[in-house]
Amino acid sequence: DAGVIQSPRHEVTEMGQEVTLRCKPISGHDYLFWYRQTMMRGLELLIYFNNNVPIDDSGMPEDRFSAKMPNASFSTLKIQPSEPRDSAVYFCASSLGLFTDTQYFGPGTRLTVL
Amino acid sequence: AQTVTQSQPEMSVQEAETVTLSCTYDTSENNYYLFWYKQPPSRQMILVIRQEAYKQQNATENRFSVNFQKAAKSFSLKISDSQLGDTAMYFCAFFSGNTPLVFGKGTRLSVIA
């Protein structure tokens, strides 16, 4: 298996633009997670899905952020409109079980909002 | 709310030596899980070791071992025979059934040749 795949690896955009981050989890994993990593706040869980259904989105910072998982092999995290404070590394991870099983992380997307 | 504290922002160790990274957490839960993740310069997050709170025996994975002190709410990571490839950020993380995974701020470890 190729592991968790994220795209793009780097994204530079201007304030106000829409940004879409993509994730392909490991086949067979029932859970998918989106994290954000910044120097100030560390690693934060934004949202996670179980069998394509969002379970907990309490970590999503505000309404500008939305996440979808239309099928078992694809998820998106969208920011609209983007702001400079959204600049961070965004990770997608997947696992067989909830947290007690190993979470496999993707390589991350480094987002810069100018 | 559960919190995870890593009090050492940066550490360094000579190659082949042993280093211990500290982690403390705060919770009122009795059953939970603790993790150490490694993030090398490639930014990938890699699970290093996992400990179930109900297990008294400390977890061990090759050169990596933990010292789990439940009463003190302490979960330190010991790396033996440090290698250059161990250079990375190390994150301590906590999970119980009632909260999502909570990470510490990380410790940057440099292994020096």
Side-chain angles (χ1 to χ4, degrees):
Chain A
D1 200 313
V4 176
I5 299 172
Q6 289 187 249
S7 65
R9 294 293 305 274
H10 302 273
E11 176 79 31
V12 180
T13 190
E14 295 195 346
M15 183 173 62
Q17 296 298 306
E18 178 180 293
V19 175
T20 299
L21 311 181
R22 298 172 175 80
C23 175
K24 181 182 186 326
I26 293 173
S27 177
H29 281 190
D30 291 333
Y31 288 86
L32 183 139
F33 309 86
W34 282 101
Y35 290 91
R36 178 173 67 176
Q37 185 179 33
T38 62
M39 289 293 292
M40 289 295 292
R41 300 174 69 91
L43 199 65
E44 304 170 279
L45 176 65
L46 300 177
I47 184 172
Y48 72 91
F49 296 81
N50 178 25
N51 293 323
N52 313 337
V53 177
I55 302 301
D56 185 348
D57 64 355
S58 59
M60 296 287 262
E62 47 196 279
D63 292 344
R64 298 184 296 108
F65 286 70
S66 62
K68 294 182 179 179
M69 193 166 185
N71 56 62
S73 60
F74 184 65
S75 177
T76 60
L77 177 68
K78 186 176 293 186
I79 308 172
Q80 166 63 16
S82 58
E83 296 182 2
R85 58 194 172 111
D86 301 332
S87 297
V89 178
Y90 290 82
F91 286 99
C92 175
S94 70
S95 67
L96 286 170
L98 180 60
F99 297 125
T100 57
D101 280 312
T102 297
Q103 287 190 32
Y104 295 86
F105 281 72
T109 295
R110 182 177 292 278
L111 173 65
T112 303
V113 183
L114 304 174
Chain B
Q2 279 76 3
T3 58
V4 176
T5 302
Q6 293 179 248
S7 59
Q8 305 149 315
E10 294 189 27
M11 294 188 72
S12 61
V13 62
Q14 291 286 337
E15 196 175 7
E17 296 295 308
T18 295
V19 64
T20 298
L21 280 57
S22 300
C23 173
T24 58
Y25 57 94
D26 183 27
T27 184
S28 59
E29 302 285 340
N30 191 46
N31 296 316
Y32 48 88
Y33 298 82
L34 295 161
F35 308 85
W36 279 98
Y37 278 87
K38 170 185 176 181
Q39 187 179 41
S42 65
R43 296 206 314 263
Q44 194 84 351
M45 291 284 285
I46 304 164
L47 180 67
V48 175
I49 200 165
R50 184 180 81 190
Q51 175 80 42
E52 291 88 346
Y54 63 86
K55 290 186 177 179
Q56 292 185 340
Q57 187 173 6
N58 289 324
T60 299
E61 290 287 341
N62 301 314
R63 297 183 296 106
F64 299 88
S65 61
V66 298
N67 182 6
F68 174 48
Q69 302 288 328
K70 190 172 184 179
K73 296 179 182 175
S74 170
F75 181 61
S76 60
L77 174 69
K78 186 172 80 170
I79 305 174
S80 303
D81 186 25
S82 297
Q83 301 175 0
L84 295 177
D86 295 334
T87 293
M89 283 286 289
Y90 287 82
F91 293 93
C92 178
F94 168 98
F95 167 71
S96 74
N98 299 320
T99 61
L101 198 59
V102 177
F103 285 86
K105 290 292 182 68
T107 296
R108 184 177 301 280
L109 177 66
S110 299
V111 180
I112 303 166

